[in-house]
Amino acid sequence: MEEQKTISITILETSDLHGHIFPISYGTNEFDPSGLAKIATSIKQIQKKEKNIILIDNGDSMQGTPLAYHYVRQMNHLPNPMIQTFNELQYDAAIIGNHEFNYGLPILQQAIQEAKFPFLSANILHSDTKEPYFGPPYLIKTLEHGFRVAILGLTTHYIPNWEKPEHIKDLEFEDSIKSAGRWISYIKEKENPDLFIVSYHGGFEKDLKTGEPTESLTGENQAYQLCMEVEGIDILLTGHQHRLLSDEVNGVTIIQPGCNGMFLGRIDLHFTHSSTDGWICQSKKPSLISIKPIEMDEQISQMNKPYEEATQHWLDQYIGQIQGDMIIHDPFEARTKEHPFIEFVNRVQMEIANVDISNTALFHNQALGFSANVTMREIVSNYIYPNTLAVIELSGQDIKDALEKTATYFILNDQGQIDVNPQFVEPKPQHYNYDMWEGISYTIDVSKPVGKRILHLMKDSDPLHMDRTYHVVMNNYRAAGGGNYHMFKGKKIMKEIQLDMTEILANYFSKYKIVNAEVNHNWQVITS
């Protein structure tokens, strides 16, 4: 009698690493229990114990820290630190995330050429040929006993709503559901895999248990729809939302390992082989491994040490001074009462663009503002995205509509106090989608119904004319309609400033040396 064949498989996922290699919070230079160097220790331990391992990065790996930024701007003649680390850890594949485009296609193409593994995305197409732009959209990996695993890559197709057009030139982003359906059928017929993994740089648009929408159904996140509508998916690896998920949806085992390398996603599977039915899955177990108690891998640390040392030297450069207090003591208060840091960013934007209306956001709650002696560390820690600026032409009505949109950031809690709308916190913090404006004056009355909260909207002491046009400077993400600011999408672009905001801010200090911390109280948030 033939001995029954069995196989155990371990799938490991990283996602949304955002350039985090070392366990450091660059704003303070203090220890932070995260990063790929710590994850590497866990991966290597598993690689020593397990035989059949599939290791995948789910996207957004190459942007997000000063190390990643400094590499692109000043060290890109060397190998990409994230890619060389992936190579060392023997990744099987990586998915292209939305932030992979932030530095332009040449940087992304360089990373792809350096990688010893494929970058997969079935739904990013060449606009002419309609074929996958970055090469084969899937990978077949053969394991013990000839067990065949298919890995299909998908990327949120919402990227054109965020990214600069020149960074995605000649690209077309197909609906993920459409691509998945077509490619899964093709792969199953041609390759006959025993296990089908879809790695999707996108998240869940609905509650995993109830199916109730958890966000406006824009198409940005389609993971729930993939589980419910696309046949043939055994495992769905997700990301983009920075959530911690390990569950099952409609028989599909799903996982999402947060962000910045704080967790490693793991799925353990066990199969037995039947002469009549082939490979049969006996168990699937998803889990999340916390990296907090794990030590950093010394080999990975040493490999990336030159990048880190150069970054730290650059971050410690003093570039200017602040007279007064520009430190953010309370991020919520900085969004409800005008803060000198926000006013400063808006005024820098207005000066370089030569316009008199601007908007910006306090991107995250870890932003600390500027101390008396400003360093590059403070600039890149406060302004964490590689944004450029655009001046677009808006009507007064567009501006009012945008302010009404931004006013949805607030709610009144059970005590009748102003609070943050949960939709801007869960499932993913989106504080960057609350804008504060300069060059106009306005009041947000949170006690009013949504859509009717903007009062006393003025410019130069006169009511803003709804049918008149104005030139407004904002970051390129917002100018493209990012954050569901649909009133901005497709508007006439009057001017583009092709410098990163971090460079613009640094150049401002180089020019003026000393900046006064001040506000003009042109807006307020109240309850009537």
Side-chain angles (χ1 to χ4, degrees):
M1 185 175 182
E2 184 181 356
E3 183 180 354
Q4 187 179 46
K5 290 186 290 187
T6 66
I7 186 171
S8 294
I9 301 168
T10 302
I11 302 168
L12 301 177
E13 179 200 8
T14 54
S15 190
D16 299 271
L17 290 168
H18 285 289
H20 286 261
I21 295 177
F22 292 91
I24 291 171
S25 176
Y26 284 97
T28 60
N29 226 19
E30 295 176 352
F31 173 80
D32 184 71
S34 62
L36 188 53
K38 284 168 71 68
I39 280 184
T41 301
S42 183
I43 289 173
K44 288 183 177 182
Q45 289 171 350
I46 295 169
Q47 288 171 332
K48 287 179 181 178
K49 293 178 182 178
E50 307 297 341
K51 191 172 183 180
N52 299 290
I53 295 173
I54 298 167
L55 177 55
I56 300 173
D57 182 75
N58 191 58
D60 280 5
S61 64
M62 295 184 288
Q63 176 277 333
T65 58
L67 185 149
Y69 177 88
H70 183 262
Y71 163 75
V72 168
R73 295 305 178 210
Q74 299 190 31
M75 299 181 73
N76 67 26
H77 58 286
L78 299 174
N80 187 299
M82 296 299 292
I83 299 303
Q84 71 172 3
T85 305
F86 286 165
N87 285 340
E88 182 64 27
L89 293 172
Q90 301 176 34
Y91 272 70
D92 291 296
I95 311 306
I96 294 173
N98 52 294
H99 283 286
E100 260 68 76
F101 295 97
N102 286 173
Y103 296 123
L105 275 175
I107 292 293
L108 174 54
Q109 293 283 19
Q110 178 184 333
I112 291 172
Q113 290 169 9
E114 292 173 4
K116 297 178 181 178
F117 50 85
F119 275 77
L120 308 175
S121 186
N123 64 316
I124 301 180
L125 312 178
H126 196 291
S127 56
D128 290 335
T129 66
K130 309 302 181 185
E131 294 296 320
Y133 187 92
F134 295 101
Y138 71 93
L139 168 70
I140 299 293
K141 182 170 182 177
T142 303
L143 304 176
E144 187 181 15
H145 303 309
F147 190 100
R148 290 166 59 79
V149 181
I151 305 161
L152 177 69
L154 295 170
T155 305
T156 174
H157 67 269
Y158 214 60
I159 290 172
N161 292 282
W162 307 313
E163 193 53 74
K164 294 188 225 177
E166 61 268 28
H167 286 180
I168 53 175
K169 188 175 183 294
D170 299 326
L171 302 186
E172 182 177 309
F173 295 84
E174 186 177 50
D175 182 276
S176 300
I177 305 299
K178 182 179 178 181
S179 287
R182 182 174 72 254
W183 279 104
I184 289 172
S185 297
Y186 171 84
I187 295 166
K188 280 184 172 290
E189 182 177 341
K190 182 182 178 183
E191 307 286 359
N192 191 30
D194 301 299
L195 176 67
F196 208 114
I197 301 169
V198 172
S199 189
Y200 167 54
H201 188 80
F204 287 87
E205 74 281 24
K206 295 183 178 181
D207 183 273
L208 272 58
K209 300 301 182 188
T210 67
E212 290 297 313
T214 54
E215 62 184 31
S216 57
L217 301 182
T218 60
E220 176 182 351
N221 297 299
Q222 296 178 293
Y224 188 87
Q225 195 177 355
L226 281 168
C227 292
M228 300 301 292
E229 297 181 12
V230 180
E231 293 290 333
I233 302 173
D234 299 309
I235 305 292
L236 181 62
L237 309 179
T238 65
H240 185 56
Q241 293 172 312
H242 301 183
R243 298 170 70 183
L244 294 173
L245 300 173
S246 59
D247 212 324
E248 186 171 291
V249 178
N250 194 32
V252 179
T253 300
I254 65 97
I255 204 159
Q256 188 172 145
C259 65
N260 301 346
M262 299 182 73
F263 287 83
L264 175 65
R266 175 171 180 165
I267 302 176
D268 291 290
L269 305 99
H270 185 71
F271 288 80
T272 57
H273 189 270
S274 162
S275 58
T276 55
D277 299 321
W279 289 104
I280 301 169
C281 185
Q282 301 295 336
S283 65
K284 295 189 290 184
K285 180 185 176 184
S287 59
L288 297 167
I289 302 171
S290 173
I291 304 304
K292 188 173 183 178
I294 297 174
E295 294 296 320
M296 184 167 55
D297 181 83
E298 189 61 26
Q299 181 188 10
I300 299 303
S301 173
Q302 288 300 316
M303 176 191 299
N304 292 291
K305 188 176 180 180
Y307 301 92
E308 177 68 8
E309 288 180 342
T311 301
Q312 290 291 348
H313 176 74
W314 172 67
L315 287 173
D316 286 333
Q317 296 176 13
Y318 283 97
I319 58 172
Q321 291 184 313
I322 301 294
Q323 287 192 343
D325 185 2
M326 207 177 277
I327 294 173
I328 295 170
H329 302 281
D330 181 340
F332 180 73
E333 186 173 292
R335 297 186 181 102
T336 53
K337 297 177 183 177
E338 193 170 8
H339 191 280
F341 174 78
I342 298 298
E343 175 139 340
F344 167 71
V345 175
N346 269 322
R347 292 200 174 280
V348 171
Q349 292 185 172
M350 289 191 291
E351 177 172 305
I352 196 169
N354 194 28
V355 298
D356 60 0
I357 305 177
S358 172
N359 68 47
T360 192
L362 182 62
F363 294 130
H364 59 125
N365 285 344
Q366 289 70 46
L368 302 175
F370 292 152
S371 63
N373 295 306
V374 182
T375 63
M376 279 303 303
R377 185 183 305 281
E378 290 179 315
I379 287 183
V380 299
S381 297
N382 283 282
Y383 209 105
I384 59 175
Y385 300 114
N387 290 332
T388 57
L389 296 177
V391 176
I392 60 176
E393 187 173 74
L394 300 174
S395 69
Q397 186 64 55
D398 292 329
I399 293 173
K400 184 177 187 300
D401 291 344
L403 286 166
E404 291 289 1
K405 163 66 180 170
T406 213
T408 64
Y409 180 78
F410 299 110
I411 60 167
L412 291 181
N413 61 26
D414 294 339
Q415 290 74 44
Q417 299 170 325
I418 299 172
D419 207 342
V420 178
N421 186 336
Q423 292 182 2
F424 285 78
V425 180
E426 298 292 343
K428 173 184 175 180
Q430 297 181 52
H431 302 294
Y432 51 80
N433 282 329
Y434 168 69
D435 290 334
M436 291 158 278
W437 291 61
E438 194 62 43
I440 56 175
S441 60
Y442 59 94
T443 297
I444 297 176
D445 188 342
V446 185
S447 66
K448 302 290 186 186
V450 168
K452 297 181 179 179
R453 291 180 167 182
I454 303 302
L455 309 175
H456 315 305
L457 180 53
M458 311 280 283
K459 170 131 181 46
D460 301 328
S461 302
D462 292 320
L464 198 72
H465 294 273
M466 295 297 101
D467 56 354
R468 185 177 296 178
T469 57
Y470 302 87
H471 293 170
V472 182
V473 61
M474 61 189 73
N475 68 60
N476 62 288
Y477 169 80
R478 186 69 79 238
N484 296 322
Y485 281 79
H486 302 299
M487 69 292 299
F488 296 157
K489 191 173 183 180
K491 296 298 182 181
K492 184 177 180 181
I493 298 173
M494 308 305 298
K495 184 188 301 183
E496 292 182 284
I497 294 94
Q498 296 294 346
L499 285 175
D500 284 358
M501 266 302 290
T502 50
E503 296 176 56
I504 292 172
L505 292 167
N507 290 343
Y508 190 91
F509 279 107
S510 296
K511 179 179 180 180
Y512 292 105
K513 307 299 182 186
I514 299 175
V515 172
N516 292 322
E518 55 191 10
V519 294
N520 62 2
H521 303 292
N522 64 299
W523 58 267
Q524 59 179 339
V525 180
I526 65 168
T527 60
S528 58

